[in-house]
Amino acid sequence: MTRIAAVRGALAAHRHTQSEITDIVARTCLPEGADRRVLDRLHRGAKVRRRHMTLPLERYAELDGFGSANDVFVDAAPALGATAVRDALRAAGLAPADVDLLIFTSVTGVATPSVDARLVGRLGLRPDVKRLPLFGLGCAGGAAGLARMHDYLLGRPDDVAVLLSVELCSLTFQRDDASLANLVATGLFGDGAAAVVACGADRSGGRAGPTVVDTRSHLYPDTGRVMGWDVRDSGFRVVLDPRVPEVVRAHLADDVEGFLGDHGLKPKDVTAWVCHPGGPKVLHAVTEALDLPGGALDVTWRHLADVGNLSSSSVLHVLRDTLAERRPPPGTPGVLLAMGPGFACELVLLSW
């Protein structure tokens, strides 16, 4: 089994209250003189108190299209990602030269050479390190990246792998777009990164941690327009269907129960749920679908309030905080789960 040696996160430099962000969204997204009561209601309903942003708030009005926003991503993503990876390697007790595979996931910008390539020299990784950049997984990317890292280490049990997620969601907010989807997104998403260091079963050294037992992916039919991007000259225009909670209620319980059942487990056996903070309605749907006890998603709810939804990075931040603050009894089962474009669910079975 894959051993998780460390999880660390990093947040963008500029921290603002939700009301400050709502004000700048009103000025840049709504028509002049428009009634902002719907915007205010949506941003309050997100249950987010504060978020971290890549740029000072006043600079977002200067981003006049895909090119200018992506230039900021190409500059800022390697710097924030390097911080997360350095911290994770240090916490794991491993050196950059120990890393055999670097996986990078993001859905908020593109770069060629990819961000992982730009980090090799910056971090002092070996020039023969294997690299795997992933794009398009959205909020599921952290869970999917952890699953693919596990797949690799099953075949390379002597290796060390690093998963890096960097999501600069604020760079995707659309100017002059008063659609409900854009207003919801501007009230929910923030900017951050996370890194996971994992070791194969035969790899010595590094810190002890939970293990990955198994993974499962499920792509739901006829849900391609539930979540994603429409790529325009203005950048990434969010696709966010109000039916997301309905899809969760319709499918998640069967997926989780079947996955756990293959290991002789039931949801009541799980001692910690590491859930992506998709938003209040999604979290209520997860709780109802899985019939979770009160407090089961407290770490997720707190993460949502403190920094918002960091897309693929969020579930890894929740994993970090679970290990640091609410670590379950050793040897008990845990489930890490996230959902994203496709529409798809990613599940990871952990042993604490």
Side-chain angles (χ1 to χ4, degrees), residues 163-338:
L163 166 66
L164 171 63
S165 160
V166 181
E167 300 286 16
L168 308 184
C169 302
S170 67
L171 300 178
T172 70
F173 297 166
Q174 298 291 288
R175 292 174 54 191
D176 304 319
D177 179 1
S179 67
L180 284 179
N182 190 52
L183 298 186
V184 169
T186 58
L188 186 60
F189 290 96
D191 297 355
V196 181
V197 179
C199 301
D202 297 339
R203 172 75 189 203
S204 59
R207 303 282 188 264
T211 54
V212 178
V213 178
D214 197 6
T215 70
R216 182 161 298 176
S217 304
H218 198 143
L219 186 67
Y220 304 127
D222 303 319
T223 56
R225 291 293 295 175
V226 167
M227 183 182 292
W229 296 132
D230 285 331
V231 183
R232 299 288 185 260
D233 291 343
S234 61
F236 295 133
R237 192 172 193 267
V238 67
V239 175
L240 193 58
D241 194 299
R243 292 182 298 129
V244 170
E246 296 175 21
V247 176
V248 172
R249 289 187 178 92
H251 297 287
L252 184 63
D254 287 344
D255 287 345
V256 171
E257 290 169 4
F259 182 46
L260 291 173
D262 288 347
H263 296 270
L265 299 168
K266 296 181 179 179
K268 65 181 179 61
D269 300 318
V270 174
T271 55
W273 296 89
V274 181
C275 181
H276 170 75
K281 291 182 179 180
V282 173
L283 291 181
H284 287 310
V286 170
T287 299
E288 293 169 16
L290 300 178
D291 193 24
L292 298 182
L297 301 184
D298 278 356
V299 177
T300 297
W301 278 105
R302 193 187 70 225
H303 172 85
L304 178 66
D306 288 347
V307 298
N309 182 338
L310 307 179
S311 191
S312 67
S313 298
S314 269
V315 75
L316 305 180
H317 279 248
V318 175
L319 175 60
R320 176 203 62 187
D321 293 346
T322 300
L323 293 172
E325 302 166 15
R326 297 186 59 169
R327 194 176 187 119
T332 60
V335 171
L336 182 146
L337 67 97

Side-chain angles (χ1 to χ4, degrees), residues 107-125:
V107 75
T108 53
V110 293
T112 305
S114 52
V115 169
D116 45 286
R118 295 164 192 256
L119 288 176
V120 172
R122 187 171 190 153
L123 291 171
L125 303 177

Side-chain angles (χ1 to χ4, degrees), residues 53-171:
M53 317 287 275
T54 300
L55 297 174
L57 281 180
E58 62 274 9
R59 285 200 52 201
Y60 283 91
E62 302 170 9
L63 302 178
D64 58 358
F66 175 76
S68 60
N70 200 67
D71 285 346
V72 177
F73 177 89
V74 172
D75 179 63
L80 194 62
T83 297
V85 173
R86 285 194 189 102
D87 289 349
L89 285 171
R90 189 178 303 114
L94 295 167
D98 294 321
V99 178
D100 301 292
L101 171 70
L102 175 61
I103 301 174
F104 173 72
T105 186
S106 182
V107 75
T108 53
V110 293
T112 305
S114 52
V115 169
D116 45 286
R118 295 164 192 256
L119 288 176
V120 172
R122 187 171 190 153
L123 291 171
L125 303 177
R126 301 194 317 264
D128 68 342
V129 66
K130 302 175 185 71
R131 298 181 295 108
L132 181 60
L134 305 174
F135 181 84
L137 293 164
C139 295
L146 184 58
R148 301 294 77 77
M149 183 162 62
H150 170 65
D151 293 341
Y152 170 85
L153 290 172
L154 286 177
R156 300 272 187 169
D158 293 315
D159 280 9
V160 172
V162 172
L163 166 66
L164 171 63
S165 160
V166 181
E167 300 286 16
L168 308 184
C169 302
S170 67
L171 300 178

